[in-house]
Amino acid sequence: MTVPAVELVNVIKHFGDVVAVNDVNLKIEDGEFFSLLGPSGCGKTTTLRMIAGLETLTSGEILLRGKAIGQTPAFKRPVNTVFQNYALFPHLTVERNVAFGLEMHKIPKEEIKKRVAEALDMVLMGDLSRRRPNQLSGGQQQRIALARALVNRPEVLLLDEPLGALDLKLRKAMQLELKQLQEQVGITFIYVTHDQEEALTMSDRIAVMDEGKILQIGAPQEIYEHPNTRFVADFIGETNFLEGTVSDINGEAIDVSLDDHTIVKAHSDLSVQKGQKVGVVIRPEKINLASSGMVEGKVLEIIYIGTDTRYVVQLKDNTSITVREQNLNSTQANKYKRGDKVGLNWDPANAQVLKK
Amino acid sequence: MAIEPRTRRERITLGVLLSPGLFWLIFFFALPFLLIFIYSFLDRGKFGGLVWEFQFDNYIRFADQLYIRIFIRSIIIAAITTVICLLIGYPMAYWMALQPSRTRNTLLLVIMLPFWTNFVIRTYAWRMILARQGQINQLLIALNIITKENAPTYLNTNGAVILGLIYIWLVAMILACYASITGLDRSLLEAAQDLFANPVRTFFRVTLPLTLPGIISGSILVFVPSFGAFVTPDMLGGGKADMIGNLISQQFGEASDWPFGSAISTILMVVMLFGTLLYFRGLRREKVQS
C-alpha cells in the first residue's frame, strides 16, 4: 500500500485539564475526501488544527506523506486551511488575498498572476478580483477562501465547517460543487463538519468522533448501515433502538428477546453469546408496516412530510419506534389511523446487533 | 448615518437634543478661536492691550529665524516623543491585548492610575529625579560610575522635556493601540501562518496594516499636545521659550503682546488642523480599503 497522505499516531491534546483529543489514530489516503464528523466539542476541529499546525500536540505524532511534522510550525507545513469564518484579509483585495500564500513563497509575479487568475476562475469568481472581502456575500467569500487555499496546491486541504455559515440551499449546491472540485484537483481534503448529511453526501470516508475519540471510520454506506455503537447510529440519521437479550444464534442471524419476550430477528458481524444483553439498531425506512408482524404496537402519531409519511408506533413496553414509508401514491398516508394496531416487519439483515 | 428631520416637530426635537453640544462648541471653541483669530490682525498698545488697526505685521514677525527655529524644534521634540511613545506603547499594548481578560482590566487600571494625581505634581517629581542631587545621580554615585564632583544635571535639556512628554502622553498611545489590537481578528493571524507567513511577515503584512488606525490616532493624540506643550518644557526645559507653547504663553503673559501671541496660536491651529485633515483622509482611504 502507498504511504498515507496524512497519518495521526496516538495524537493527544489537552487544554489544561480538558482532554480535547484522546489518542486518535488515523490514516488518510492520497486523494481522499475524508470527513471528521461529530457534535460540537468532540475534538474534530482541534484535530484539524493540529494537522494545520495551529495547535501544538500534547503527545503523539502527525505524518505528512510519511514525514513527521508534529513539531513543524504552521507556516512551514505544505497544507492549507479553509477557515470556518473564512478569515479573509479585510485590507487586501480578493486578488491579493488569493496571492498571499504564493507571495510568501516568493514565486515570480507573472506566475502568481496566472495562478491567481486560474484559481479564481476555478471557483467562478474571476470577475470579482478587485473587490474587497466586505463587498462580497457569504457564499462568495467562501469561494475566495477556497481559492486562496487551493492556489498553493497544498498536499492536503483542511476545511473547517466551511459551509456552516451559508443558507441551506446554497449549502446543498456548494456540497456538490466542493465534491466535484475535489475530484477535479485530486487534492486530499480533510473536512470537519457536524452535519451528518453533508458528510454522507461528500465523503469517501468518514470518521465519527465523540469526546475526543474516534468511534468509527468507514465509507458513508458502511457507517450508515453498520454503525458500531449506539452513538454512531444516533448521530448518523434517524434510528430506532431496541434492548433485549440474545436468545438464539444461527451464524450471523441472531434472535433477540425483548423485555416482553417478543423475539426480534437481527444480524450481527460481532460475536455474541446467548443470554448476552444487546441492543438492536434499525433504521425507520427499513421497517414495513402491516396488520400483523414480528413486533406489534399501536400507531401513536402520523406525520406527513411530503415524500414520506412518518409513523410513531408505541410497543407494549412503551418503547417508541419510528417508521418511514415512502408515499408511493397520494392516498398512502391514509392507510392507518392514529390508535390502529399494527405489526412491524423487517429483513433481519437490516437490524444490527450492538453489544451493550 | 444621516439624520434627516422630516417634520417641524422632528426639527425642533433635533435642535433641542443638539443644543448642549452646539452651545459647548460655540462658546468654548468657536468664539474663543474667533477672538484669537481677530486679535492676530490687531496691533499691540504701548502698555499692552489692543489697538484696533487691521494689519498683517504679527504674521510677518513670526517669519523670523528665532521663531522659526522654536517652531521647528517643537516639531522635532513632538516627533521624537511620538516615535518613542509608539515604540514603547505599541508592543506594550500588544502584550496587554494577549493577556486573559481579567489581567487585562487590571493592567488598564494600573496604567491609568497615575492620572489620579495632577500632572504638575508628577512633573515636579521628575525635577527631583533629574536634578544634580537627584535619584539618578545618587544611584550612579552609589554604583561608582560617577563622582559627586562631576555629577551632571539632566534638567533643562531637550532630553528632559522629551522624557517628561513621553511620561505624560505614553498612556494615550497605549490606549489607542490597545483598542485597535484587541479589535484584531485572531483568525486572520492564523490564516497568515497557514499561508506560509512566518511571525515577522505575519506582523508586517497583517497585524500592522490592520492596526494602523490605532497607530495613527495614538500618534495624533501624542503629537498634538506635545507640539503645543508649555508646562512640561517650562518645568523640565528651563522655560526659556524652548517650545512654541512657551512662546505663546510668554506673549500672553510677560510680554503682554496678545496680537502676536494670537498670531502664533492661529498658525499652530492651522498646522494642527492640516495634520488632522490628512489623518482623516488617511482613515477614509483605510475604510474604503477594508
Side-chain angles (χ1 to χ4, degrees):
Chain A
M1 218 162 90
T2 53
V3 183
V6 177
E7 188 173 356
L8 274 67
V9 185
N10 303 115
V11 168
I12 296 175
K13 176 68 184 178
H14 293 207
F15 290 111
D17 299 336
V18 183
V19 185
V21 174
N22 191 359
D23 198 16
V24 162
N25 287 284
L26 200 56
K27 275 183 192 170
I28 297 163
E29 299 308 325
D30 203 9
E32 202 173 18
F33 196 124
F34 192 92
S35 290
L36 291 169
L37 174 68
S40 57
C42 73
K44 57 191 191 296
T45 295
T46 306
T47 305
L48 193 82
R49 287 171 58 82
M50 284 192 287
I51 301 173
L54 299 171
E55 300 286 356
T56 54
L57 283 76
T58 303
S59 70
E61 188 55 89
I62 295 175
L63 304 163
L64 188 72
R65 291 191 196 281
K67 217 181 95 209
I69 57 159
Q71 305 303 318
T72 312
F75 66 92
K76 286 186 184 160
R77 295 190 190 189
V79 300
N80 289 110
T81 308
V82 177
F83 291 87
Q84 190 170 10
N85 62 355
Y86 317 134
L88 297 176
F89 302 120
H91 60 301
L92 301 178
T93 59
V94 163
E95 205 170 19
R96 295 289 311 282
N97 259 285
V98 178
F100 194 94
L102 299 176
E103 284 172 6
M104 291 301 127
H105 273 328
K106 299 211 167 84
I107 283 165
K109 277 214 167 79
E110 287 306 305
E111 199 192 331
I112 291 183
K113 214 166 178 188
K114 203 177 114 239
R115 278 171 67 176
V116 167
E118 276 171 15
L120 285 174
D121 282 343
M122 190 166 63
V123 295
L124 314 172
M125 288 283 113
D127 318 336
L128 302 179
S129 61
R130 304 250 167 233
R131 298 263 188 104
R132 303 246 166 207
N134 67 348
Q135 297 170 305
L136 304 176
S137 70
Q140 289 169 332
Q141 289 185 32
Q142 204 276 325
R143 284 161 188 268
I144 303 305
L146 200 60
R148 185 178 70 172
L150 280 175
V151 76
N152 304 297
R153 296 174 190 149
E155 305 246 350
V156 178
L157 184 72
L158 308 171
L159 303 103
D160 185 8
E161 307 213 23
L163 308 182
L166 304 182
D167 62 69
L168 185 67
K169 210 167 170 187
L170 190 56
R171 198 156 71 216
K172 297 252 180 212
M174 281 304 292
Q175 285 173 10
L176 295 177
E177 223 176 289
L178 260 180
K179 177 72 183 155
Q180 282 168 1
L181 193 65
Q182 191 263 341
E183 280 165 7
Q184 183 192 326
V185 295
I187 290 173
T188 311
F189 276 33
I190 305 181
Y191 192 97
V192 160
T193 181
H194 64 266
D195 183 335
Q196 46 98 9
E197 203 186 310
E198 201 165 281
L200 291 175
T201 310
M202 294 193 288
S203 318
D204 295 319
R205 281 194 308 152
I206 299 171
V208 183
M209 289 185 74
D210 186 40
E211 293 180 342
K213 281 184 170 297
I214 291 181
L215 299 178
Q216 190 172 4
I217 302 177
Q221 193 179 348
E222 196 181 327
I223 298 248
Y224 186 81
E225 303 291 348
H226 303 284
N228 65 358
T229 54
R230 182 171 182 179
F231 180 87
V232 174
D234 254 343
F235 198 78
I236 311 263
E238 220 178 344
T239 200
N240 293 300
F241 198 76
L242 297 166
E243 287 179 30
T245 45
V246 176
S247 60
D248 200 10
I249 303 171
N250 196 351
E252 289 198 342
I254 313 282
D255 285 358
V256 176
S257 169
L258 304 186
D259 291 346
D260 60 358
H261 305 298
T262 315
I263 302 290
V264 299
K265 296 205 172 289
H267 159 275
S268 177
D269 322 316
L270 316 160
S271 62
V272 287
Q273 279 148 20
K274 238 184 201 176
Q276 191 178 342
K277 285 225 166 240
V278 291
V280 177
V281 170
I282 175 125
R283 300 284 183 192
E285 73 275 12
K286 306 256 162 69
I287 305 175
N288 298 313
L289 279 182
S291 48
S292 66
M294 191 155 52
V295 182
E296 296 194 331
K298 69 172 197 242
V299 177
L300 201 65
E301 234 171 306
I302 303 172
I303 304 149
Y304 176 75
I305 47 172
T307 53
D308 304 274
T309 302
R310 185 190 279 139
Y311 301 90
V312 180
V313 177
Q314 192 173 38
L315 306 188
K316 272 175 264 176
D317 62 353
N318 283 336
T319 321
S320 291
I321 298 283
T322 306
V323 182
R324 267 178 104 131
E325 288 216 319
Q326 227 185 319
N327 291 332
L328 296 174
N329 57 60
S330 57
T331 56
Q332 182 97 13
N334 307 332
K335 212 161 69 177
Y336 301 100
K337 289 195 308 291
R338 215 183 276 187
D340 280 358
K341 278 210 180 328
V342 287
L344 308 177
N345 294 297
W346 56 77
D347 181 345
N350 290 329
Q352 183 82 13
V353 169
L354 294 181
K355 283 185 190 173
K356 287 219 72 183
Chain B
M1 237 190 306
I3 303 165
E4 283 174 57
R6 279 188 206 91
T7 63
R8 207 185 126 86
R9 213 195 141 104
E10 269 182 18
R11 226 169 288 149
I12 291 167
T13 314
L14 195 67
V16 170
L17 287 175
L18 287 176
S19 58
L22 279 175
F23 182 84
W24 174 271
L25 278 176
I26 289 169
F27 282 87
F28 293 98
F29 176 72
L31 281 182
F33 180 64
L34 194 68
L35 272 180
I36 294 281
F37 188 69
I38 294 168
Y39 284 0
S40 72
F41 295 104
L42 301 181
D43 197 7
R44 173 187 177 241
K46 270 206 181 96
F47 308 101
L50 302 162
V51 177
W52 288 82
E53 261 171 43
F54 186 84
Q55 36 115 352
F56 282 104
D57 287 4
N58 297 314
Y59 288 95
I60 296 163
R61 226 177 111 195
F62 187 75
D64 184 284
Q65 224 190 27
L66 175 72
Y67 299 130
I68 298 291
R69 200 173 289 154
I70 290 174
F71 189 82
I72 289 171
R73 189 196 293 143
S74 301
I75 288 185
I76 292 171
I77 286 177
I80 293 173
T81 304
T82 307
V83 169
I84 296 176
C85 277
L86 183 62
L87 291 178
I88 302 171
Y90 190 91
M92 203 156 154
Y94 196 93
W95 175 77
M96 274 169 62
L98 291 180
Q99 303 308 308
S101 66
R102 266 187 62 187
T103 322
R104 262 186 339 213
N105 291 336
T106 316
L107 286 170
L108 279 177
L109 187 74
V110 167
I111 278 190
M112 293 197 267
L113 213 59
F115 271 64
W116 297 350
T117 313
N118 182 292
F119 98 98
V120 174
I121 295 171
R122 285 182 289 141
T123 308
Y124 259 113
W126 275 110
R127 277 185 70 99
M128 305 207 184
I129 295 168
L130 296 172
R132 190 181 289 265
Q133 289 91 19
Q135 279 80 352
I136 292 180
N137 281 345
Q138 282 177 23
L139 182 75
L140 291 175
I141 290 165
L143 292 171
N144 280 326
I145 293 168
I146 55 169
T147 59
K148 214 167 186 172
E149 287 69 42
N150 62 12
T153 179
Y154 308 98
L155 275 176
N156 306 341
T157 61
N158 285 340
V161 175
I162 291 171
L163 181 75
L165 289 172
I166 292 169
Y167 172 69
I168 300 294
W169 297 113
L170 178 62
V171 66
M173 180 67 85
I174 293 176
L175 292 180
C177 290
Y178 175 81
S180 78
I181 294 167
T182 44
L184 183 68
D185 181 356
R186 304 272 140 191
S187 70
L188 295 177
L189 306 186
E190 291 189 340
Q193 284 179 59
D194 188 69
L195 292 163
F196 319 119
N198 61 32
V200 174
R201 289 179 132 192
T202 301
F203 179 78
F204 283 106
R205 298 290 295 264
V206 180
T207 313
L208 198 61
L210 288 175
T211 52
L212 201 59
I215 293 173
I216 294 174
S217 57
S219 300
I220 286 189
L221 284 174
V222 174
F223 185 85
V224 169
S226 299
F227 186 41
F230 70 97
V231 176
T232 310
D234 208 40
M235 292 172 70
L236 298 177
K240 283 171 252 120
D242 274 319
M243 291 178 77
I244 197 124
N246 302 97
L247 187 61
I248 294 171
S249 89
Q250 269 175 18
Q251 298 311 313
F252 282 96
E254 299 128 45
S256 270
D257 193 347
W258 284 34
F260 186 47
S262 299
I264 307 170
S265 300
T266 307
I267 292 169
L268 195 69
M269 272 292 261
V270 169
V271 169
M272 301 256 196
L273 220 66
F274 263 104
T276 319
L277 263 169
L278 276 176
Y279 160 63
F280 278 121
R281 188 175 296 170
L283 255 198
R284 203 172 313 139
R285 194 175 308 140
E286 198 65 30
K287 227 177 216 166
V288 171
Q289 281 176 2
S290 58

